C-alpha cells in the first residue's frame, strides 16, 4: 500500500495551539506529516528558522509520524521533493476561504498530482493567529491558553528586554 505523505505548511512564527490541533488531526489520518516552515514569505518573522524548528520539534515528540521541514520557493516543488501528495491547510473562519481557495486552485493548476485538504481546528482556536499571540506577549499579556509552555517561554525571553 502506498504511504500517504502530507505537508502542513505555514510561517509558524510561532506555532500555536491552533496549529497543534490541526497537526494532531492530520497525524491520525496520514502515514507521514511534515510540518513545513515557509521561509520566503513576505512576513518578517520574529523567530529565526532554527528557533521555529526548535519550538515545533519540542511539541512533536508525542507524534511519531510527524516531522519538521523548511523550504524556500514554491510549495508544490517541495511537495514533489518530499513525495508528498497532500497539502493540509486549516480553515478557521469564512475569512480564510478566499485566500485558501485561490492558493489551492493555483497549486492544483501547477501541480495536479498534489491535493489540498482543509481541516477545521477546534472552534476555540478559530480567532487565533500568531500575530495576536506575539502582540499579547509583547505587552506581557496572558498567552497560556494559546501556546504550549515551551513557546510561551520563548516568547517571554524574546520580549524580556523590550518595552
Ligand atoms: N491556528 C492558529 N493560527 C493559525 C492556524 C491555526 N490552525 N492556521 C493558520 N493560522 C494563522 C497563522 O498563525 C498565521 O498568522 P499570522 O498571519 O499572524 O502569522 C495566519 O494564520 C496564516 O498563516 P499561515 O497558515 O502560516 O499561512 P501563510 O499565509 O503565512 O503561509 C504559505 C502560506 C507559506 C503556505 C504560502 O504562502 C506558500 O505556499 N508560499 C510558498 C510560495 C508558493 O508556493 N506560492 C504559490 C501558492 S499559490
Amino acid at each position: 500500500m502506498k504511504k500517504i505523505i502530507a505537508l502542513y505548511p505555514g510561517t509558524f512564527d510561532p506555532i500555536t495551539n491552533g496549529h497543534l490541533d490541526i497537526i494532531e488531526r492530520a497525524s491520525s489520518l496520514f502515514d507521514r506529516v511534515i510540518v513545513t516552515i515557509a521561509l520566503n514569505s513576505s512576513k518578517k518573522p520574529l523567530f529565526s528558522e532554527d528557533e521555529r524548528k526548535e519550538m515545533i520539534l519540542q511539541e512533536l515528540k508525542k507524534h511519531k509520524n510527524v516531522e519538521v521541514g523548511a523550504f524556500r520557493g514554491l510549495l508544490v516543488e517541495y511537495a514533489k521533493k518530499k513525495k508528498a501528495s497532500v497539502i493540509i491547510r486549516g480553515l478557521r473562519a469564512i475569512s480564510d476561504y478566499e485566500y485558501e481557495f485561490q492558493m489551492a486552485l493555483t497549486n492544483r493548476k501547477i501541480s495536479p498530482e498534489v491535493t489540498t485538504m482543509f481541516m477545521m481546528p477546534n472552534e476555540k482556536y478559530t480567532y487565533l493567529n500568531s500575530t495576536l499571540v506575539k502582540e499579547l506577549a509583547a505587552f506581557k499579556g496572558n498567552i497560556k491558553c494559546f501556546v504550549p509552555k515551551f513557546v510561551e517561554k520563548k516568547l517571554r525571553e524574546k520580549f524580556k528586554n523590550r518595552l
Side-chain angles (χ1 to χ4, degrees), residues 8-12 16 18-19 22 38 40 43 71 73-76 89-90 92 99 102-103 106-107 121 125 128-132 134:
Y8 178 41
T11 311
F12 301 109
T16 67
H19 294 124
I22 298 284
N40 57 337
K43 297 176 179 176
F71 77 105
L74 287 180
L75 177 61
V76 289
R89 294 289 291 168
R92 290 160 299 166
Y99 171 62
Q102 190 182 28
M103 206 158 59
T106 309
N107 281 335
Y125 301 126
L128 189 58
N129 68 28
S130 301
T131 303
L132 195 115
K134 283 180 280 191

PDB file of all heavy atoms in Angstrom, residues 8-12 16 18-19 22 38 40 43 71 73-76 89-90 92 99 102-103 106-107 121 125 128-132 134, ligand 1:
ATOM      1  N   TYR A   8       2.154  20.114   5.999  1.00  0.00           N
ATOM      2  CA  TYR A   8       1.341  21.141   6.657  1.00  0.00           C
ATOM      3  C   TYR A   8       2.179  22.423   6.665  1.00  0.00           C
ATOM      4  O   TYR A   8       3.021  22.627   7.537  1.00  0.00           O
ATOM      5  CB  TYR A   8       0.971  20.688   8.082  1.00  0.00           C
ATOM      6  CG  TYR A   8       0.161  21.706   8.849  1.00  0.00           C
ATOM      7  CD1 TYR A   8      -0.859  22.432   8.232  1.00  0.00           C
ATOM      8  CD2 TYR A   8       0.405  21.955  10.203  1.00  0.00           C
ATOM      9  CE1 TYR A   8      -1.596  23.374   8.935  1.00  0.00           C
ATOM     10  CE2 TYR A   8      -0.343  22.888  10.913  1.00  0.00           C
ATOM     11  CZ  TYR A   8      -1.336  23.590  10.268  1.00  0.00           C
ATOM     12  OH  TYR A   8      -2.079  24.528  10.959  1.00  0.00           O
ATOM     13  N   PRO A   9       1.995  23.273   5.639  1.00  0.00           N
ATOM     14  CA  PRO A   9       2.860  24.449   5.512  1.00  0.00           C
ATOM     15  C   PRO A   9       2.325  25.682   6.235  1.00  0.00           C
ATOM     16  O   PRO A   9       1.126  25.819   6.466  1.00  0.00           O
ATOM     17  CB  PRO A   9       2.826  24.707   3.990  1.00  0.00           C
ATOM     18  CG  PRO A   9       1.450  24.285   3.593  1.00  0.00           C
ATOM     19  CD  PRO A   9       1.032  23.167   4.534  1.00  0.00           C
ATOM     20  N   GLY A  10       3.243  26.557   6.587  1.00  0.00           N
ATOM     21  CA  GLY A  10       2.851  27.818   7.218  1.00  0.00           C
ATOM     22  C   GLY A  10       4.089  28.562   7.675  1.00  0.00           C
ATOM     23  O   GLY A  10       5.213  28.084   7.506  1.00  0.00           O
ATOM     24  N   THR A  11       3.871  29.703   8.278  1.00  0.00           N
ATOM     25  CA  THR A  11       5.008  30.504   8.743  1.00  0.00           C
ATOM     26  C   THR A  11       5.446  30.063  10.143  1.00  0.00           C
ATOM     27  O   THR A  11       6.624  30.110  10.473  1.00  0.00           O
ATOM     28  CB  THR A  11       4.616  32.008   8.728  1.00  0.00           C
ATOM     29  OG1 THR A  11       4.033  32.299   7.445  1.00  0.00           O
ATOM     30  CG2 THR A  11       5.819  32.889   8.911  1.00  0.00           C
ATOM     31  N   PHE A  12       4.485  29.644  10.945  1.00  0.00           N
ATOM     32  CA  PHE A  12       4.751  29.122  12.295  1.00  0.00           C
ATOM     33  C   PHE A  12       5.654  30.058  13.109  1.00  0.00           C
ATOM     34  O   PHE A  12       6.675  29.652  13.647  1.00  0.00           O
ATOM     35  CB  PHE A  12       5.357  27.712  12.230  1.00  0.00           C
ATOM     36  CG  PHE A  12       4.468  26.725  11.532  1.00  0.00           C
ATOM     37  CD1 PHE A  12       4.800  26.237  10.268  1.00  0.00           C
ATOM     38  CD2 PHE A  12       3.285  26.302  12.108  1.00  0.00           C
ATOM     39  CE1 PHE A  12       3.967  25.346   9.602  1.00  0.00           C
ATOM     40  CE2 PHE A  12       2.439  25.416  11.453  1.00  0.00           C
ATOM     41  CZ  PHE A  12       2.784  24.929  10.194  1.00  0.00           C
ATOM     42  N   THR A  16       1.256  27.624  17.358  1.00  0.00           N
ATOM     43  CA  THR A  16       0.263  27.872  18.422  1.00  0.00           C
ATOM     44  C   THR A  16      -0.542  26.599  18.687  1.00  0.00           C
ATOM     45  O   THR A  16      -0.416  25.611  17.947  1.00  0.00           O
ATOM     46  CB  THR A  16      -0.740  28.969  18.000  1.00  0.00           C
ATOM     47  OG1 THR A  16      -1.530  28.449  16.914  1.00  0.00           O
ATOM     48  CG2 THR A  16      -0.063  30.250  17.570  1.00  0.00           C
ATOM     49  N   GLY A  18      -3.552  26.227  18.041  1.00  0.00           N
ATOM     50  CA  GLY A  18      -4.416  26.022  16.874  1.00  0.00           C
ATOM     51  C   GLY A  18      -3.723  25.181  15.816  1.00  0.00           C
ATOM     52  O   GLY A  18      -4.317  24.281  15.207  1.00  0.00           O
ATOM     53  N   HIS A  19      -2.431  25.470  15.587  1.00  0.00           N
ATOM     54  CA  HIS A  19      -1.651  24.649  14.643  1.00  0.00           C
ATOM     55  C   HIS A  19      -1.549  23.215  15.165  1.00  0.00           C
ATOM     56  O   HIS A  19      -1.678  22.262  14.407  1.00  0.00           O
ATOM     57  CB  HIS A  19      -0.227  25.209  14.490  1.00  0.00           C
ATOM     58  CG  HIS A  19      -0.144  26.554  13.842  1.00  0.00           C
ATOM     59  ND1 HIS A  19       0.477  27.618  14.441  1.00  0.00           N
ATOM     60  CD2 HIS A  19      -0.592  27.012  12.651  1.00  0.00           C
ATOM     61  CE1 HIS A  19       0.417  28.677  13.643  1.00  0.00           C
ATOM     62  NE2 HIS A  19      -0.226  28.339  12.552  1.00  0.00           N
ATOM     63  N   ILE A  22      -4.493  21.067  14.449  1.00  0.00           N
ATOM     64  CA  ILE A  22      -4.530  20.561  13.065  1.00  0.00           C
ATOM     65  C   ILE A  22      -3.523  19.410  12.894  1.00  0.00           C
ATOM     66  O   ILE A  22      -3.817  18.382  12.270  1.00  0.00           O
ATOM     67  CB  ILE A  22      -4.208  21.698  12.042  1.00  0.00           C
ATOM     68  CG1 ILE A  22      -5.243  22.818  12.125  1.00  0.00           C
ATOM     69  CG2 ILE A  22      -4.076  21.151  10.625  1.00  0.00           C
ATOM     70  CD1 ILE A  22      -6.584  22.540  11.484  1.00  0.00           C
ATOM     71  N   ALA A  38       7.589  27.830   5.855  1.00  0.00           N
ATOM     72  CA  ALA A  38       7.835  28.606   4.637  1.00  0.00           C
ATOM     73  C   ALA A  38       8.800  29.733   4.980  1.00  0.00           C
ATOM     74  O   ALA A  38       8.540  30.523   5.887  1.00  0.00           O
ATOM     75  CB  ALA A  38       6.516  29.164   4.114  1.00  0.00           C
ATOM     76  N   ASN A  40      10.229  31.984   2.668  1.00  0.00           N
ATOM     77  CA  ASN A  40      10.287  33.166   1.797  1.00  0.00           C
ATOM     78  C   ASN A  40       8.999  33.981   1.810  1.00  0.00           C
ATOM     79  O   ASN A  40       8.639  34.617   0.836  1.00  0.00           O
ATOM     80  CB  ASN A  40      10.611  32.758   0.361  1.00  0.00           C
ATOM     81  CG  ASN A  40       9.599  31.771  -0.175  1.00  0.00           C
ATOM     82  OD1 ASN A  40       8.933  31.086   0.603  1.00  0.00           O
ATOM     83  ND2 ASN A  40       9.452  31.696  -1.484  1.00  0.00           N
ATOM     84  N   LYS A  43       6.196  37.949   5.152  1.00  0.00           N
ATOM     85  CA  LYS A  43       6.186  38.349   6.562  1.00  0.00           C
ATOM     86  C   LYS A  43       7.609  38.500   7.093  1.00  0.00           C
ATOM     87  O   LYS A  43       8.529  37.878   6.570  1.00  0.00           O
ATOM     88  CB  LYS A  43       5.470  37.271   7.386  1.00  0.00           C
ATOM     89  CG  LYS A  43       4.013  37.102   6.991  1.00  0.00           C
ATOM     90  CD  LYS A  43       3.385  35.961   7.751  1.00  0.00           C
ATOM     91  CE  LYS A  43       1.930  35.819   7.368  1.00  0.00           C
ATOM     92  NZ  LYS A  43       1.304  34.656   8.005  1.00  0.00           N
ATOM     93  N   PHE A  71      11.287  25.213   3.640  1.00  0.00           N
ATOM     94  CA  PHE A  71      11.551  25.383   2.199  1.00  0.00           C
ATOM     95  C   PHE A  71      11.552  26.857   1.804  1.00  0.00           C
ATOM     96  O   PHE A  71      10.952  27.699   2.473  1.00  0.00           O
ATOM     97  CB  PHE A  71      10.502  24.630   1.373  1.00  0.00           C
ATOM     98  CG  PHE A  71       9.168  25.336   1.297  1.00  0.00           C
ATOM     99  CD1 PHE A  71       8.767  25.998   0.141  1.00  0.00           C
ATOM    100  CD2 PHE A  71       8.326  25.354   2.397  1.00  0.00           C
ATOM    101  CE1 PHE A  71       7.550  26.662   0.075  1.00  0.00           C
ATOM    102  CE2 PHE A  71       7.105  26.024   2.345  1.00  0.00           C
ATOM    103  CZ  PHE A  71       6.713  26.676   1.184  1.00  0.00           C
ATOM    104  N   GLY A  73      10.917  29.009  -1.971  1.00  0.00           N
ATOM    105  CA  GLY A  73      10.426  28.769  -3.327  1.00  0.00           C
ATOM    106  C   GLY A  73       8.989  28.302  -3.315  1.00  0.00           C
ATOM    107  O   GLY A  73       8.216  28.676  -2.440  1.00  0.00           O
ATOM    108  N   LEU A  74       8.667  27.448  -4.285  1.00  0.00           N
ATOM    109  CA  LEU A  74       7.275  27.010  -4.416  1.00  0.00           C
ATOM    110  C   LEU A  74       6.980  25.801  -3.532  1.00  0.00           C
ATOM    111  O   LEU A  74       7.745  24.838  -3.495  1.00  0.00           O
ATOM    112  CB  LEU A  74       6.976  26.646  -5.873  1.00  0.00           C
ATOM    113  CG  LEU A  74       6.856  27.794  -6.871  1.00  0.00           C
ATOM    114  CD1 LEU A  74       6.566  27.257  -8.265  1.00  0.00           C
ATOM    115  CD2 LEU A  74       5.777  28.795  -6.449  1.00  0.00           C
ATOM    116  N   LEU A  75       5.826  25.866  -2.909  1.00  0.00           N
ATOM    117  CA  LEU A  75       5.407  24.776  -2.023  1.00  0.00           C
ATOM    118  C   LEU A  75       5.259  23.455  -2.787  1.00  0.00           C
ATOM    119  O   LEU A  75       5.663  22.395  -2.307  1.00  0.00           O
ATOM    120  CB  LEU A  75       4.082  25.166  -1.358  1.00  0.00           C
ATOM    121  CG  LEU A  75       3.439  24.150  -0.446  1.00  0.00           C
ATOM    122  CD1 LEU A  75       4.356  23.809   0.729  1.00  0.00           C
ATOM    123  CD2 LEU A  75       2.096  24.675   0.076  1.00  0.00           C
ATOM    124  N   VAL A  76       4.686  23.509  -3.992  1.00  0.00           N
ATOM    125  CA  VAL A  76       4.463  22.253  -4.721  1.00  0.00           C
ATOM    126  C   VAL A  76       5.789  21.591  -5.149  1.00  0.00           C
ATOM    127  O   VAL A  76       5.862  20.377  -5.291  1.00  0.00           O
ATOM    128  CB  VAL A  76       3.520  22.440  -5.940  1.00  0.00           C
ATOM    129  CG1 VAL A  76       2.093  22.701  -5.491  1.00  0.00           C
ATOM    130  CG2 VAL A  76       4.007  23.517  -6.881  1.00  0.00           C
ATOM    131  N   ARG A  89      -4.291  22.433   4.926  1.00  0.00           N
ATOM    132  CA  ARG A  89      -4.457  23.808   5.381  1.00  0.00           C
ATOM    133  C   ARG A  89      -5.595  23.855   6.379  1.00  0.00           C
ATOM    134  O   ARG A  89      -6.574  23.120   6.241  1.00  0.00           O
ATOM    135  CB  ARG A  89      -4.767  24.740   4.201  1.00  0.00           C
ATOM    136  CG  ARG A  89      -3.635  24.873   3.204  1.00  0.00           C
ATOM    137  CD  ARG A  89      -2.462  25.660   3.716  1.00  0.00           C
ATOM    138  NE  ARG A  89      -2.774  27.079   3.885  1.00  0.00           N
ATOM    139  CZ  ARG A  89      -1.971  27.921   4.530  1.00  0.00           C
ATOM    140  NH1 ARG A  89      -0.835  27.512   5.082  1.00  0.00           N
ATOM    141  NH2 ARG A  89      -2.308  29.187   4.649  1.00  0.00           N
ATOM    142  N   GLY A  90      -5.453  24.688   7.362  1.00  0.00           N
ATOM    143  CA  GLY A  90      -6.521  24.848   8.352  1.00  0.00           C
ATOM    144  C   GLY A  90      -7.474  25.942   7.901  1.00  0.00           C
ATOM    145  O   GLY A  90      -7.042  26.972   7.386  1.00  0.00           O
ATOM    146  N   ARG A  92     -10.110  28.381   9.509  1.00  0.00           N
ATOM    147  CA  ARG A  92     -10.613  28.814  10.810  1.00  0.00           C
ATOM    148  C   ARG A  92     -11.950  29.526  10.704  1.00  0.00           C
ATOM    149  O   ARG A  92     -12.809  29.395  11.538  1.00  0.00           O
ATOM    150  CB  ARG A  92      -9.596  29.742  11.489  1.00  0.00           C
ATOM    151  CG  ARG A  92      -8.353  29.034  11.948  1.00  0.00           C
ATOM    152  CD  ARG A  92      -7.234  30.013  12.144  1.00  0.00           C
ATOM    153  NE  ARG A  92      -6.936  30.688  10.881  1.00  0.00           N
ATOM    154  CZ  ARG A  92      -6.203  31.773  10.763  1.00  0.00           C
ATOM    155  NH1 ARG A  92      -5.698  32.339  11.830  1.00  0.00           N
ATOM    156  NH2 ARG A  92      -5.972  32.307   9.578  1.00  0.00           N
ATOM    157  N   TYR A  99      -8.673  33.371   0.255  1.00  0.00           N
ATOM    158  CA  TYR A  99      -7.233  33.225   0.084  1.00  0.00           C
ATOM    159  C   TYR A  99      -6.854  31.755  -0.105  1.00  0.00           C
ATOM    160  O   TYR A  99      -6.073  31.397  -0.991  1.00  0.00           O
ATOM    161  CB  TYR A  99      -6.540  33.825   1.322  1.00  0.00           C
ATOM    162  CG  TYR A  99      -5.059  33.592   1.436  1.00  0.00           C
ATOM    163  CD1 TYR A  99      -4.177  34.089   0.479  1.00  0.00           C
ATOM    164  CD2 TYR A  99      -4.518  32.892   2.519  1.00  0.00           C
ATOM    165  CE1 TYR A  99      -2.807  33.880   0.601  1.00  0.00           C
ATOM    166  CE2 TYR A  99      -3.154  32.687   2.656  1.00  0.00           C
ATOM    167  CZ  TYR A  99      -2.302  33.180   1.690  1.00  0.00           C
ATOM    168  OH  TYR A  99      -0.956  32.971   1.822  1.00  0.00           O
ATOM    169  N   GLN A 102      -7.933  30.421  -3.560  1.00  0.00           N
ATOM    170  CA  GLN A 102      -7.028  30.893  -4.600  1.00  0.00           C
ATOM    171  C   GLN A 102      -5.721  30.096  -4.579  1.00  0.00           C
ATOM    172  O   GLN A 102      -5.220  29.647  -5.617  1.00  0.00           O
ATOM    173  CB  GLN A 102      -6.758  32.374  -4.329  1.00  0.00           C
ATOM    174  CG  GLN A 102      -6.032  33.089  -5.421  1.00  0.00           C
ATOM    175  CD  GLN A 102      -5.781  34.540  -5.025  1.00  0.00           C
ATOM    176  OE1 GLN A 102      -5.671  34.871  -3.838  1.00  0.00           O
ATOM    177  NE2 GLN A 102      -5.700  35.400  -5.999  1.00  0.00           N
ATOM    178  N   MET A 103      -5.205  29.887  -3.379  1.00  0.00           N
ATOM    179  CA  MET A 103      -3.928  29.186  -3.255  1.00  0.00           C
ATOM    180  C   MET A 103      -4.073  27.715  -3.665  1.00  0.00           C
ATOM    181  O   MET A 103      -3.238  27.185  -4.408  1.00  0.00           O
ATOM    182  CB  MET A 103      -3.451  29.291  -1.808  1.00  0.00           C
ATOM    183  CG  MET A 103      -1.971  29.185  -1.677  1.00  0.00           C
ATOM    184  SD  MET A 103      -1.373  29.914  -0.149  1.00  0.00           S
ATOM    185  CE  MET A 103      -2.215  29.010   1.091  1.00  0.00           C
ATOM    186  N   THR A 106      -4.471  27.453  -7.472  1.00  0.00           N
ATOM    187  CA  THR A 106      -3.208  27.762  -8.160  1.00  0.00           C
ATOM    188  C   THR A 106      -2.258  26.572  -8.030  1.00  0.00           C
ATOM    189  O   THR A 106      -1.653  26.132  -9.018  1.00  0.00           O
ATOM    190  CB  THR A 106      -2.548  29.028  -7.568  1.00  0.00           C
ATOM    191  OG1 THR A 106      -3.508  30.057  -7.541  1.00  0.00           O
ATOM    192  CG2 THR A 106      -1.346  29.456  -8.382  1.00  0.00           C
ATOM    193  N   ASN A 107      -2.160  26.045  -6.834  1.00  0.00           N
ATOM    194  CA  ASN A 107      -1.271  24.892  -6.629  1.00  0.00           C
ATOM    195  C   ASN A 107      -1.731  23.696  -7.463  1.00  0.00           C
ATOM    196  O   ASN A 107      -0.907  22.960  -8.006  1.00  0.00           O
ATOM    197  CB  ASN A 107      -1.214  24.524  -5.140  1.00  0.00           C
ATOM    198  CG  ASN A 107      -0.291  25.449  -4.366  1.00  0.00           C
ATOM    199  OD1 ASN A 107       0.632  26.033  -4.927  1.00  0.00           O
ATOM    200  ND2 ASN A 107      -0.546  25.611  -3.090  1.00  0.00           N
ATOM    201  N   PRO A 121      -9.928  23.527  12.781  1.00  0.00           N
ATOM    202  CA  PRO A 121      -9.457  23.296  14.146  1.00  0.00           C
ATOM    203  C   PRO A 121     -10.637  23.377  15.113  1.00  0.00           C
ATOM    204  O   PRO A 121     -11.724  23.828  14.743  1.00  0.00           O
ATOM    205  CB  PRO A 121      -8.492  24.463  14.384  1.00  0.00           C
ATOM    206  CG  PRO A 121      -8.955  25.547  13.492  1.00  0.00           C
ATOM    207  CD  PRO A 121      -9.588  24.873  12.298  1.00  0.00           C
ATOM    208  N   TYR A 125     -10.146  27.772  18.702  1.00  0.00           N
ATOM    209  CA  TYR A 125      -8.967  28.387  18.081  1.00  0.00           C
ATOM    210  C   TYR A 125      -9.295  29.163  16.810  1.00  0.00           C
ATOM    211  O   TYR A 125      -8.396  29.580  16.077  1.00  0.00           O
ATOM    212  CB  TYR A 125      -7.923  27.308  17.739  1.00  0.00           C
ATOM    213  CG  TYR A 125      -7.468  26.524  18.941  1.00  0.00           C
ATOM    214  CD1 TYR A 125      -7.536  25.136  18.952  1.00  0.00           C
ATOM    215  CD2 TYR A 125      -6.978  27.178  20.063  1.00  0.00           C
ATOM    216  CE1 TYR A 125      -7.121  24.406  20.054  1.00  0.00           C
ATOM    217  CE2 TYR A 125      -6.567  26.450  21.175  1.00  0.00           C
ATOM    218  CZ  TYR A 125      -6.639  25.071  21.161  1.00  0.00           C
ATOM    219  OH  TYR A 125      -6.232  24.363  22.256  1.00  0.00           O
ATOM    220  N   LEU A 128      -7.700  32.629  16.433  1.00  0.00           N
ATOM    221  CA  LEU A 128      -6.285  32.711  16.834  1.00  0.00           C
ATOM    222  C   LEU A 128      -5.347  32.872  15.639  1.00  0.00           C
ATOM    223  O   LEU A 128      -5.559  32.274  14.595  1.00  0.00           O
ATOM    224  CB  LEU A 128      -5.960  31.407  17.580  1.00  0.00           C
ATOM    225  CG  LEU A 128      -4.621  31.293  18.284  1.00  0.00           C
ATOM    226  CD1 LEU A 128      -4.452  32.394  19.309  1.00  0.00           C
ATOM    227  CD2 LEU A 128      -4.513  29.921  18.967  1.00  0.00           C
ATOM    228  N   ASN A 129      -4.333  33.687  15.787  1.00  0.00           N
ATOM    229  CA  ASN A 129      -3.208  33.664  14.841  1.00  0.00           C
ATOM    230  C   ASN A 129      -1.920  34.042  15.572  1.00  0.00           C
ATOM    231  O   ASN A 129      -1.957  34.491  16.720  1.00  0.00           O
ATOM    232  CB  ASN A 129      -3.468  34.520  13.591  1.00  0.00           C
ATOM    233  CG  ASN A 129      -3.521  36.006  13.886  1.00  0.00           C
ATOM    234  OD1 ASN A 129      -2.913  36.505  14.822  1.00  0.00           O
ATOM    235  ND2 ASN A 129      -4.263  36.726  13.065  1.00  0.00           N
ATOM    236  N   SER A 130      -0.795  33.872  14.899  1.00  0.00           N
ATOM    237  CA  SER A 130       0.496  34.084  15.565  1.00  0.00           C
ATOM    238  C   SER A 130       0.723  35.554  15.895  1.00  0.00           C
ATOM    239  O   SER A 130       1.353  35.879  16.916  1.00  0.00           O
ATOM    240  CB  SER A 130       1.627  33.554  14.682  1.00  0.00           C
ATOM    241  OG  SER A 130       1.430  32.194  14.428  1.00  0.00           O
ATOM    242  N   THR A 131       0.218  36.447  15.061  1.00  0.00           N
ATOM    243  CA  THR A 131       0.406  37.888  15.295  1.00  0.00           C
ATOM    244  C   THR A 131      -0.244  38.294  16.619  1.00  0.00           C
ATOM    245  O   THR A 131       0.338  39.034  17.415  1.00  0.00           O
ATOM    246  CB  THR A 131      -0.206  38.703  14.137  1.00  0.00           C
ATOM    247  OG1 THR A 131       0.420  38.267  12.925  1.00  0.00           O
ATOM    248  CG2 THR A 131       0.007  40.193  14.300  1.00  0.00           C
ATOM    249  N   LEU A 132      -1.448  37.780  16.818  1.00  0.00           N
ATOM    250  CA  LEU A 132      -2.186  38.084  18.051  1.00  0.00           C
ATOM    251  C   LEU A 132      -1.404  37.636  19.288  1.00  0.00           C
ATOM    252  O   LEU A 132      -1.272  38.368  20.277  1.00  0.00           O
ATOM    253  CB  LEU A 132      -3.520  37.337  17.974  1.00  0.00           C
ATOM    254  CG  LEU A 132      -4.612  37.717  18.915  1.00  0.00           C
ATOM    255  CD1 LEU A 132      -5.755  38.291  18.077  1.00  0.00           C
ATOM    256  CD2 LEU A 132      -5.125  36.509  19.663  1.00  0.00           C
ATOM    257  N   LYS A 134       1.822  37.157  19.511  1.00  0.00           N
ATOM    258  CA  LYS A 134       3.044  37.966  19.673  1.00  0.00           C
ATOM    259  C   LYS A 134       2.709  39.320  20.297  1.00  0.00           C
ATOM    260  O   LYS A 134       3.447  39.836  21.133  1.00  0.00           O
ATOM    261  CB  LYS A 134       3.738  38.160  18.319  1.00  0.00           C
ATOM    262  CG  LYS A 134       4.505  36.923  17.871  1.00  0.00           C
ATOM    263  CD  LYS A 134       5.196  37.132  16.537  1.00  0.00           C
ATOM    264  CE  LYS A 134       4.239  36.986  15.404  1.00  0.00           C
ATOM    265  NZ  LYS A 134       4.885  36.914  14.083  1.00  0.00           N
TER     266      LYS A 134
HETATM  267  N1  LIG B   1      -4.429  28.005  14.434  1.00  0.00           N
HETATM  268  C1  LIG B   1      -3.955  29.202  14.733  1.00  0.00           C
HETATM  269  N2  LIG B   1      -3.488  30.058  13.825  1.00  0.00           N
HETATM  270  C2  LIG B   1      -3.476  29.657  12.558  1.00  0.00           C
HETATM  271  C3  LIG B   1      -3.959  28.403  12.156  1.00  0.00           C
HETATM  272  C4  LIG B   1      -4.453  27.558  13.170  1.00  0.00           C
HETATM  273  N3  LIG B   1      -4.941  26.345  12.908  1.00  0.00           N
HETATM  274  N4  LIG B   1      -3.840  28.293  10.817  1.00  0.00           N
HETATM  275  C5  LIG B   1      -3.297  29.444  10.400  1.00  0.00           C
HETATM  276  N5  LIG B   1      -3.078  30.259  11.434  1.00  0.00           N
HETATM  277  C6  LIG B   1      -2.545  31.611  11.403  1.00  0.00           C
HETATM  278  C7  LIG B   1      -1.060  31.653  11.357  1.00  0.00           C
HETATM  279  O1  LIG B   1      -0.512  31.694  12.644  1.00  0.00           O
HETATM  280  C8  LIG B   1      -0.836  32.918  10.578  1.00  0.00           C
HETATM  281  O2  LIG B   1      -0.833  34.012  11.482  1.00  0.00           O
HETATM  282  P1  LIG B   1      -0.045  35.357  11.156  1.00  0.00           P
HETATM  283  O3  LIG B   1      -0.572  35.871   9.865  1.00  0.00           O
HETATM  284  O4  LIG B   1      -0.359  36.208  12.298  1.00  0.00           O
HETATM  285  O5  LIG B   1       1.413  34.983  11.055  1.00  0.00           O
HETATM  286  C9  LIG B   1      -2.041  33.027   9.658  1.00  0.00           C
HETATM  287  O6  LIG B   1      -2.997  32.228  10.234  1.00  0.00           O
HETATM  288  C10 LIG B   1      -1.886  32.482   8.268  1.00  0.00           C
HETATM  289  O7  LIG B   1      -0.675  31.994   8.096  1.00  0.00           O
HETATM  290  P2  LIG B   1      -0.131  30.574   7.649  1.00  0.00           P
HETATM  291  O8  LIG B   1      -1.079  29.469   7.807  1.00  0.00           O
HETATM  292  O9  LIG B   1       1.175  30.430   8.301  1.00  0.00           O
HETATM  293  O10 LIG B   1      -0.035  30.763   6.177  1.00  0.00           O
HETATM  294  P3  LIG B   1       0.718  31.852   5.412  1.00  0.00           P
HETATM  295  O11 LIG B   1      -0.326  32.618   4.728  1.00  0.00           O
HETATM  296  O12 LIG B   1       1.706  32.598   6.222  1.00  0.00           O
HETATM  297  O13 LIG B   1       1.579  30.931   4.513  1.00  0.00           O
HETATM  298  C11 LIG B   1       2.140  29.634   2.636  1.00  0.00           C
HETATM  299  C12 LIG B   1       1.102  30.479   3.352  1.00  0.00           C
HETATM  300  C13 LIG B   1       3.516  29.872   3.155  1.00  0.00           C
HETATM  301  C14 LIG B   1       1.800  28.205   2.839  1.00  0.00           C
HETATM  302  C15 LIG B   1       2.045  30.047   1.154  1.00  0.00           C
HETATM  303  O14 LIG B   1       2.242  31.419   1.056  1.00  0.00           O
HETATM  304  C16 LIG B   1       3.042  29.336   0.305  1.00  0.00           C
HETATM  305  O15 LIG B   1       2.853  28.219  -0.041  1.00  0.00           O
HETATM  306  N6  LIG B   1       4.121  30.042  -0.075  1.00  0.00           N
HETATM  307  C17 LIG B   1       5.182  29.489  -0.891  1.00  0.00           C
HETATM  308  C18 LIG B   1       5.169  30.086  -2.282  1.00  0.00           C
HETATM  309  C19 LIG B   1       4.177  29.371  -3.143  1.00  0.00           C
HETATM  310  O16 LIG B   1       4.240  28.192  -3.389  1.00  0.00           O
HETATM  311  N7  LIG B   1       3.250  30.169  -3.672  1.00  0.00           N
HETATM  312  C20 LIG B   1       2.211  29.683  -4.515  1.00  0.00           C
HETATM  313  C21 LIG B   1       0.998  29.427  -3.725  1.00  0.00           C
HETATM  314  S1  LIG B   1      -0.371  29.905  -4.680  1.00  0.00           S
END
